[in-house]
Amino acid sequence: MKLGIIAAAIFAAASAVMSPLAAADHKDGKAAPLVIGHRGAPGYLPDHTLEGYALAIELGADFIEPDLVATKDGFLIARHEPNLVDTTNVSQLPQFANRKRTVMIDGFPQEGWFASDFTLAEVKQYIRAKQPLADRDQRFNGKFAIPTFDEVIALAKRKSDDVGRTIGVYPETKHPTYHQSIGLALEDRLLAALSRAGWNRRDAPVFIQSFETANLRYLNRKTSVRLIQLIDANDINADGSLDFTAPYDRPYDWTVAGRTGLFKDLVTPAGLAEVKTYADGIGPWKPYIQSWTSAALLPPTNVVADAHKAGLLVVPYTFRNEASRMPPPFGGVPVREYIRFYELGVDGVFSDFVDTAFAARAMFLLATDSNYDECLTATRKCDRDFD
């Protein structure tokens, strides 16, 4: 019983003090890191569903992350990729068998069924989400509808009222060059949705992210909403160095424009200074901050310190609980990984299991901030940010 009371106190106090905008202030490097529900709560429910987003919020997420693609009639829906084959039941629907085709996306052929070949009405009536990872729970396949971006925003607002704290949205424009090439550019549609919600403003609980750069530069001219440059790589080599095999080697708009260079160039001091001209932060794959081999963690890099020096937030991805999806040196204990990255000064984390990220954050703050300890044990409600 006592453990339950302590856990409830931690959740209530942490929820009260951790504004989802706290890390964005970055006043002295001590802001509490954000917990972002990566695609909702995909460790438990299928990606990008209202049910998954709602669960992530109940488990402690400050932000929920919808990846955005466009339907044939120009509506933004939440799917990880334009190709629906891995995350929906579309391949099992005989009425759509003739829509299977091969499409070039970022210079590589993909076979499947594509969001841009379906109207929103068709998506809503027939297509349902499924769990794309075979080793995760498959019981909910086919049960949940595909949400629009407007519905995701509405959910965030409604749940903010329910849980008594502001829930933000962290949308990603998926393959923006591809969408532009088929006449379904994402950026203005995204901004229109934010405007309908009253969230197309600097102080809104919104971050927009992209692996490409040109669309972020465009958005920088069109909105004051905060922008995040995502930074990718293909894999980790045996020695812990990053592998840059295409198409995960560089922003695709660089390839189209004939610009040379790799994603790693964006985390050099010069690259970070360039990012600062159009964005507010970076979202690097975790090994950019601290990589690993099968036996050990490598020394941390200067990416966090250099980004903060440039005035940029740092929010790495993606944290998962399964031992097979964690760096081996953490011994299959996910809390250790979260706490390590919190110690390295990141401003937030993308997690498939936000309850674990939330608990690890509480542990980290208990260990590093005596005021947080006092807050948890006080009878009054704490109402300040840790910054």
Side-chain angles (χ1 to χ4, degrees):
M1 186 65 160
K2 186 176 180 183
L3 269 178
I5 293 171
I6 292 172
I10 289 176
F11 189 93
S15 297
V17 301
M18 292 176 197
S19 158
L21 305 181
D25 295 336
H26 217 321
K27 294 176 183 175
D28 59 7
K30 292 177 62 179
L34 299 175
V35 171
I36 301 147
H38 178 246
R39 308 180 200 169
Y44 303 109
L45 296 176
D47 300 7
H48 297 304
T49 62
L50 293 181
E51 292 80 4
Y53 294 131
L55 179 59
I57 293 165
E58 292 295 334
L59 295 176
D62 301 308
F63 280 75
I64 50 178
E65 184 222 18
D67 295 331
L68 300 180
V69 302
T71 64
K72 182 178 182 178
D73 45 353
F75 290 92
L76 297 183
I77 59 172
R79 285 293 88 196
H80 179 51
E81 292 288 334
N83 192 344
L84 305 178
V85 68
D86 291 331
T87 64
T88 76
N89 65 346
V90 68
S91 66
Q92 300 167 4
L93 302 176
Q95 65 268 45
F96 298 135
N98 63 350
R99 297 196 198 179
K100 184 179 183 181
R101 64 191 182 103
T102 298
V103 169
M104 293 293 291
I105 295 182
D106 293 2
F108 287 81
Q110 291 190 19
E111 184 179 60
W113 287 260
F114 296 85
S116 57
D117 293 330
F118 296 86
T119 65
L120 180 62
E122 289 174 325
V123 170
K124 285 295 189 180
Q125 184 172 357
Y126 300 107
I127 299 178
R128 296 293 179 265
K130 74 174 184 180
Q131 171 60 255
L133 299 179
D135 59 342
R136 288 182 175 174
D137 199 325
Q138 304 291 312
R139 287 178 295 171
F140 300 96
N141 290 351
K143 293 183 180 295
F144 304 140
I146 309 304
T148 65
F149 184 40
D150 292 281
E151 289 173 326
V152 176
I153 295 172
L155 173 73
K157 290 190 167 191
R158 185 169 67 253
K159 295 298 289 183
S160 295
D161 292 336
D162 291 346
V163 301
R165 55 192 175 89
T166 301
I167 305 301
V169 295
Y170 213 118
E172 179 187 342
T173 56
K174 297 298 293 191
H175 303 284
T177 294
Y178 163 74
H179 278 95
Q180 291 163 14
S181 74
I182 60 173
L184 291 170
L186 304 174
E187 294 76 23
D188 288 331
R189 290 178 168 86
L190 190 165
L191 295 181
L194 293 178
S195 294
R196 287 192 293 271
W199 276 4
N200 190 359
R201 63 179 198 271
R202 183 69 179 180
D203 62 346
V206 178
F207 291 91
I208 301 173
Q209 56 180 338
S210 178
F211 282 106
E212 296 189 23
T213 66
N215 72 316
L216 290 176
R217 293 178 188 275
Y218 174 82
L219 286 165
N220 177 257
R221 299 191 298 270
K222 299 279 286 188
T223 183
S224 60
V225 170
R226 288 160 299 172
L227 308 175
I228 302 293
Q229 176 67 63
L230 295 172
I231 300 173
D232 208 356
N234 179 63
D235 204 347
I236 302 177
N237 297 313
D239 63 357
S241 62
L242 294 180
D243 165 56
F244 292 96
T245 300
Y248 308 105
D249 54 343
R250 63 172 61 87
Y252 186 62
D253 60 290
W254 286 12
T255 300
V256 172
R259 175 172 172 172
T260 60
L262 300 170
F263 270 118
K264 66 180 181 179
D265 298 325
L266 291 172
V267 298
T268 65
L272 293 167
E274 178 183 351
V275 171
K276 181 60 178 174
T277 65
Y278 63 86
D280 302 278
I282 59 171
W285 188 31
K286 330 181 263 200
Y288 278 100
I289 295 171
Q290 184 163 28
S291 192
W292 57 86
T293 67
S294 61
L297 291 172
L298 300 183
T301 69
N302 293 325
V303 166
V304 173
D306 288 345
H308 285 169
K309 186 176 180 180
L312 294 166
L313 301 170
V314 183
V315 185
Y317 67 90
T318 301
F319 292 77
R320 299 178 168 103
N321 280 16
E322 297 98 342
S324 62
R325 298 187 174 97
M326 289 176 54
F330 290 108
V333 183
V335 166
R336 293 179 182 172
E337 183 184 17
Y338 287 107
I339 290 177
R340 177 56 178 158
F341 278 80
Y342 292 151
E343 290 172 343
L344 291 173
V346 300
D347 299 292
V349 294
F350 283 91
S351 176
D352 283 8
F353 298 84
V354 296
D355 48 342
T356 308
F358 183 95
R361 180 176 66 180
M363 294 166 65
F364 166 71
L365 293 173
L366 280 167
T368 58
D369 193 325
S370 61
N371 290 325
Y372 185 70
D373 188 17
E374 293 169 6
C375 174
L376 290 181
T377 57
T379 56
R380 62 182 176 81
K381 179 180 178 180
C382 302
D383 57 3
R384 63 181 180 81
D385 294 334
F386 286 91
D387 55 4

